Amino acid sequence: MDTPKFKPFIRQTISHARQWEWIPPDLQEAVQVVSHVLPFRTNEYVLDHLIDWNNIPDDPIYRLTFPHRDMLAPDDYARLKELVLGKADQPALVELVRRIRLRMNPHPAGQMTHNVPRVNDAPLKGLQHKYKETVLFFPSSGQTCHAYCTFCFRWPQFVGMDDMKFDAKESHELAAYLRMHPEVTDVLITGGDPLIMNTRSLEAYIEPLLAPDLAHIQNIRIGTKSVAYWPQRFVSDRDADDLLRLFERVVKAGKNMAIMGHYNHAVELRQEIAQQAVKRIVGTGATLRMQGPLIRHINEDPASWAELWQTGVRLGAIPYYMFVERDTGPREYFQLPLARAHAIFQAAYQMVSGLSRTVRGPSMSAFPGKVVIDGIATIGGEKVFALQFLQARNADWVRKPFYAKFDPQATWMDELKPAFGKEKFFFEEEGGSRSEYGAEPPGSRKVIPLLSARADSSAPAAGCDSHSAA
């Protein structure tokens, strides 16, 4: 039997896919126009097995992977369409695309201003260190994906915005940084998708983390969407077995090999090969944790979430996070009110047994940390959101409950106001901020200076202000 080979499609080649002629002209136009602003890439597996072509454009995986005109403001779309179809004024097209992108908050939650560590007053390209225990590493050869999600909060990585791109050419700076920071227990290798790399390249990044002098690194994580978009990576790719042997080596070295699998809809785990991939991963001794954001138009059905978690648990995976869609990219198209997000999570949570209730959410990966909506309650006659930090720039904030006024329209942290007549949330009183803009309104961008990384553990952690822990 022929082994399927990975074949991607982008804006310039999607018309070669047999499904292209099934797409109505107005939807074809939207793909060609909007993909000048947002990244577009899909593959034969997604086209052949995940999309119901009788249900486009409403099919969730179609909306997840194909750009739509409503992802842009009407005036922007009209002007962009004129320039794209006219093919006359290339400089004007480039400038319009640049302006639209910059209005889309391309580095949310302080990724570039507060999360990048520095050594000897120089930034470490390809690293982020927001929380004390965890460092993110972006290998340069892993800065693409088997297919792109239209909501992806790392979209600037893929559209040529080089000044907003995280990528590291080699791993020696990562190892050197980790030796300076014994408080770090977790390394998350992310992208893009590190599993777009062949196993030999991935091994070159992981091998240094197994050195005896990095014994404080307990968990090596890989963030990947390949479990859904190209499960052949673990089953039938030429070096799939080598990849699984690499996972086994990490486990044998005494580390936890954690695959952070990005799933957005139950259909992604209904395919036999996708289920086989899960079984092969967990068979190595690695763990597979399931996470993904709640997205309007894609996965608002609680039953889909319940099916996803239940199927994962049956196969040996661990439900981990339901996120709130981040405040970047075409957020107006995808965002849901926090009240509705909580209702969807609660309904899905009620459908599953305790084994699936390892999942946490809905969680906002906001500037100060991961904020979970624990519930909606009435306290002292006031209706409130009950909130807490699951992770935070300052470790003292973790698991400390706090309350916001109930707002049925609020979609993100910076739209919430403190409850009970308070002017600030507790972490703002302690010098923190609910957004990367501090006291400034979200529309006014400013450059926030970074602190140098310090070798001594008593100094403020790299890549954050003096009130934070990375």
Side-chain angles (χ1 to χ4, degrees):
M1 188 176 80
D2 290 338
T3 300
K5 294 183 179 179
F6 175 70
K7 183 179 180 180
F9 294 99
I10 58 175
R11 179 179 72 244
Q12 293 85 347
T13 61
I14 186 59
S15 61
H16 300 161
R18 64 187 179 91
Q19 292 90 350
W20 183 248
E21 64 183 33
W22 305 347
I23 302 175
D26 60 323
L27 299 183
Q28 290 182 351
E29 174 195 285
V31 172
Q32 294 297 328
V33 172
V34 179
S35 62
H36 278 78
V37 174
L38 299 171
F40 170 62
R41 176 178 164 106
T42 187
N43 66 63
E44 282 191 325
Y45 175 77
V46 173
L47 298 177
D48 290 346
H49 298 287
L50 299 186
I51 295 174
D52 178 0
W53 292 97
N54 293 315
N55 190 35
I56 66 166
D58 294 328
D59 175 78
I61 306 302
Y62 181 83
R63 289 191 180 274
L64 183 63
T65 54
F66 279 77
H68 299 262
R69 66 178 299 154
D70 291 344
M71 293 176 184
L72 300 181
D75 289 348
D76 286 338
Y77 184 88
R79 178 57 177 152
L80 192 63
K81 173 185 172 181
E82 178 184 338
L83 292 172
V84 168
L85 300 184
K87 299 180 180 179
D89 194 344
Q90 185 66 20
L93 174 60
V94 170
E95 176 59 20
L96 177 61
V97 167
R98 186 190 71 84
R99 291 202 311 267
I100 294 173
R101 286 173 176 169
L102 290 178
R103 291 200 303 266
M104 287 183 160
N105 189 21
H107 69 100
Q111 289 185 96
M112 301 194 72
T113 52
H114 281 64
N115 299 353
V116 178
R118 302 173 78 96
V119 172
N120 297 325
D121 205 33
L124 292 182
K125 187 174 174 61
L127 268 70
Q128 288 186 28
H129 192 174
K130 179 177 180 180
Y131 306 125
K132 181 181 69 174
E133 303 87 358
T134 305
V135 164
L136 277 61
F137 180 62
F138 298 76
S140 59
S141 50
Q143 298 314 305
T144 186
C145 298
H146 293 93
Y148 292 146
C149 298
T150 44
F151 69 82
C152 182
F153 80 94
R154 295 209 193 280
W155 61 272
Q157 296 276 96
F158 315 129
V159 296
M161 299 178 76
D162 291 341
D163 56 338
M164 296 188 183
K165 188 171 183 177
F166 296 96
D167 61 341
K169 303 296 183 187
E170 301 175 8
S171 60
H172 68 275
E173 284 190 337
L174 170 65
Y177 182 76
L178 295 175
R179 291 185 182 100
M180 293 170 56
H181 290 272
E183 75 277 11
V184 175
T185 58
D186 291 46
V187 174
L188 170 57
I189 304 173
T190 185
D193 192 330
L195 292 183
I196 201 78
M197 293 188 283
N198 62 42
T199 301
R200 181 179 298 179
S201 298
L202 180 63
E203 184 178 29
Y205 289 112
I206 290 180
E207 182 72 30
L209 304 180
L210 307 182
D213 61 347
L214 291 179
H216 57 287
I217 304 302
Q218 301 171 17
N219 306 297
I220 299 174
R221 312 185 200 177
I222 297 177
T224 183
K225 183 69 182 179
S226 61
V227 287
Y229 281 168
W230 189 251
Q232 291 86 343
R233 185 68 189 90
F234 309 93
V235 179
S236 58
D237 273 6
R238 184 174 58 183
D239 63 346
D241 289 344
D242 294 335
L243 179 64
L244 299 179
R245 300 295 83 77
L246 175 60
F247 293 171
E248 289 176 346
R249 281 186 56 205
V250 174
V251 174
K252 188 175 181 179
K255 313 284 188 182
N256 172 34
M257 181 79 250
I259 306 304
M260 318 305 290
H262 294 238
Y263 294 94
N264 296 107
H265 195 276
V267 70
E268 295 171 330
L269 203 47
R270 289 176 190 157
Q271 313 305 311
E272 181 179 350
I273 194 169
Q275 297 192 11
Q276 191 178 356
V278 175
K279 292 178 180 177
R280 297 200 86 198
I281 292 168
V282 299
T284 67
T287 57
L288 172 59
R289 296 180 183 267
M290 309 170 69
Q291 60 186 27
L294 176 60
I295 323 163
R296 188 161 62 99
H297 304 297
I298 308 292
N299 52 20
E300 298 172 74
D301 181 7
S304 174
W305 285 98
E307 178 190 341
L308 179 64
W309 299 334
Q310 288 170 323
T311 305
V313 166
R314 176 171 59 80
L315 297 170
I318 305 167
Y320 189 46
Y321 270 119
M322 177 198 279
F323 291 112
V324 175
E325 166 60 1
R326 287 204 186 196
D327 57 336
T328 183
R331 63 170 297 189
E332 291 82 4
Y333 184 82
F334 289 121
Q335 68 190 6
L336 284 165
L338 298 176
R340 175 153 169 72
H342 175 263
I344 293 170
F345 178 85
Q346 185 179 39
Y349 201 79
Q350 291 172 351
M351 295 178 186
V352 300
S353 74
L355 292 178
S356 295
R357 292 183 178 179
T358 52
V359 67
R360 296 173 290 184
S363 171
M364 292 177 280
S365 289
F367 177 74
K370 286 188 174 70
V371 178
V372 68
I373 304 166
D374 262 344
I376 297 171
T378 300
I379 301 176
E382 182 174 345
K383 193 173 184 180
V384 297
F385 286 114
L387 310 166
Q388 65 171 298
F389 284 103
L390 297 176
Q391 183 61 283
R393 290 183 182 273
N394 185 332
D396 291 339
W397 301 345
V398 175
R399 306 295 292 190
K400 187 173 181 179
F402 62 104
Y403 301 91
K405 291 180 180 179
F406 178 78
D407 181 348
Q409 303 304 319
T411 61
W412 195 249
M413 185 71 188
D414 58 6
E415 297 173 6
L416 296 178
K417 297 179 181 179
F420 312 130
K422 292 192 173 184
E423 293 186 3
K424 296 182 177 180
F425 291 114
F426 80 91
F427 56 90
E428 294 176 298
E429 294 173 345
E430 296 177 18
S433 172
R434 75 186 77 173
S435 84
E436 57 265 48
Y437 308 108
E440 300 294 329
S444 56
R445 305 196 180 278
K446 63 178 181 178
V447 176
I448 306 175
L450 294 165
L451 296 181
S452 301
R454 314 277 184 87
D456 63 288
S457 58
S458 62
C464 58
D465 61 40
S466 59
H467 305 288
S468 308

